[in-house]
């Protein structure tokens, strides 16, 4: 099913929406119904109520392999402009669970390839849903909820992940994750939501405020974020922030 949905998205792009719409949620529910590990998605959502069961390591590896199918399919939907299925009448009630699933994949799954796949999903939706032109944009209520999630969960989660000790900026795979997040920040800054909201909810709250997790803020990085002219600039400033923290 995953391969079929991916192929439809690649071949037909936006026109695939009507065919993919009714298949995407049952597919995700089928994939995630066999997951035993608890995630931050609310019990009873896509992941179900796990009651805190923690499986042995070999099952976790197997689960990540299965979950990768869901990550890849949702990434294909975003990249190929089939995002309308995410807020269709059939699927809109599960959009929050889908976003949380992909956020977990971007920020907590111990695999930089999956991290990049999930981060790219958010990049594409920020670009498409943040234009304000009405062509790719969902209804206002969905757009507002999406950007609330981006500012409230995705951005702080990614900052914590990138600044963490396990994120190796010298590794090529992690660099690709960082590049996607830098691009996401640039697209967010340029979106129709406005530069003032970006300054308030990213620079003031997380860069100067230390991400609310005890991380020391950085005036240098804040200035760099304000002057950034592309995703690469954000990428460079995140690396500089890591260096600052390492030297403290």
């Amino acid at each position: 099913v995953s391969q079929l949905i991916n192929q439809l998205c690649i071949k037909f792009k936006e026109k695939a929406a009507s065919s993919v719409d009714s298949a995407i949620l049952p597919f995700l529910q089928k994939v995630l119904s066999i997951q035993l590990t608890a995630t931050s998605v609310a019990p009873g959502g896509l992941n179900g109520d796990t009651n805190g069961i923690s499986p042995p390591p070999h099952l976790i590896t197997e689960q990540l392999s299965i979950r990768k199918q869901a990550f890849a399919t949702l990434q294909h939907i975003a990249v190929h402009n089939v995002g309308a299925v995410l807020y269709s009448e059939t699927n809109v009630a599960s959009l929050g669970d889908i976003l949380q699933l992909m956020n977990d994949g971007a920020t907590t799954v111990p695999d930089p390839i999956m991290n990049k796949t999930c981060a790219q999903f958010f990049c594409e939706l920020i670009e498409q849903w943040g234009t304000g032109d009405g062509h790719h944009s969902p209804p206002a209520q969905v757009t507002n909820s999406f950007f609330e999630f981006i500012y409230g969960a995705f951005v702080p989660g990614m900052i914590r992940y990138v600044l963490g000790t396990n994120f190796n900026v010298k590794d090529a795979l992690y660099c690709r994750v960082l590049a996607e997040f830098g691009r996401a920040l640039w697209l967010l800054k340029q979106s129709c939501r406005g530069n003032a909201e970006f300054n308030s909810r990213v620079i003031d709250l997380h860069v100067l405020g230390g991400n609310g997790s005890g991380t020391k803020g950085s005036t240098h990085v804040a200035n760099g974020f304000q002057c950034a002219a592309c995703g690469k600039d954000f990428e460079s400033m995140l690396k500089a922030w890591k260096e600052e923290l390492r030297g403290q």
Side-chain angles (χ1 to χ4, degrees):
V1 175
S2 174
Q3 291 182 357
L4 178 59
I5 293 175
N6 294 350
Q7 289 170 2
L8 285 170
C9 292
I10 292 169
K11 185 171 183 179
F12 298 106
K13 302 189 185 307
E14 292 180 46
K15 295 179 181 179
S18 59
S19 300
V20 172
D21 183 46
S22 60
I24 184 62
L25 193 57
F27 162 70
L28 292 175
Q29 290 173 331
K30 182 70 174 179
V31 170
L32 297 176
S33 66
I34 66 172
Q35 302 298 313
L36 298 177
T37 49
T39 71
S40 53
V41 177
L46 283 176
N47 291 307
D49 187 353
T50 63
N51 294 316
I53 299 173
S54 181
H58 72 279
L59 282 183
I60 293 177
T61 301
E62 201 172 310
Q63 289 168 6
L64 288 176
S65 177
I66 295 169
R67 189 175 294 185
K68 186 176 182 179
Q69 296 181 41
F71 293 154
T73 296
L74 288 167
Q75 183 247 16
H76 273 73
I77 285 172
V79 167
H80 297 289
N81 294 322
V82 195
V85 302
L86 300 177
Y87 57 86
S88 70
E89 184 178 348
T90 305
N91 303 320
V92 67
S94 297
L95 178 58
D97 284 347
I98 291 172
L99 295 178
Q100 186 62 64
L101 169 70
M102 295 303 279
N103 189 59
D104 289 343
T107 62
T108 65
V109 171
D111 184 334
I113 296 176
M114 292 191 200
N115 300 150
K116 175 184 176 292
T117 296
C118 295
Q120 188 178 23
F121 166 86
F122 286 107
C123 276
E124 296 299 328
L125 292 188
I126 291 169
E127 184 171 26
Q128 294 168 27
W129 294 2
T131 60
D133 62 4
H135 180 56
H136 291 297
S137 299
Q141 184 177 359
V142 174
T143 301
N144 290 336
S145 296
F146 172 72
F147 280 100
E148 282 298 317
F149 185 91
I150 292 297
Y151 278 119
F154 176 67
V155 169
M158 284 299 297
I159 291 177
R160 283 193 295 269
Y161 182 43
V162 169
L163 297 181
T165 56
N166 292 329
F167 194 95
N168 183 7
V169 294
K170 295 182 179 179
D171 184 292
L173 293 177
Y174 283 97
C175 283
R176 293 172 186 172
V177 180
L178 187 62
E180 288 297 333
F181 183 45
R183 177 172 166 245
L185 290 171
W186 167 245
L187 292 170
L188 191 57
K189 185 180 181 182
Q190 297 299 304
S191 75
C192 63
R193 301 284 292 194
N195 197 46
E197 184 175 23
F198 182 87
N199 288 341
S200 172
R201 303 188 69 176
V202 177
I203 297 176
D204 293 345
L205 182 59
H206 298 299
V207 182
L208 291 174
N211 197 230
S213 59
T215 302
K216 187 175 181 181
S218 172
T219 303
H220 170 63
V221 174
N223 291 335
F225 271 35
Q226 287 177 332
C227 298
C230 62
K232 283 283 187 184
D233 291 344
F234 282 105
E235 188 179 342
S236 297
M237 294 316 302
L238 288 165
K239 289 180 180 178
W241 197 0
K242 277 185 74 76
E243 286 299 318
E244 285 185 16
L245 296 174
R246 187 177 296 136
Q248 292 173 3

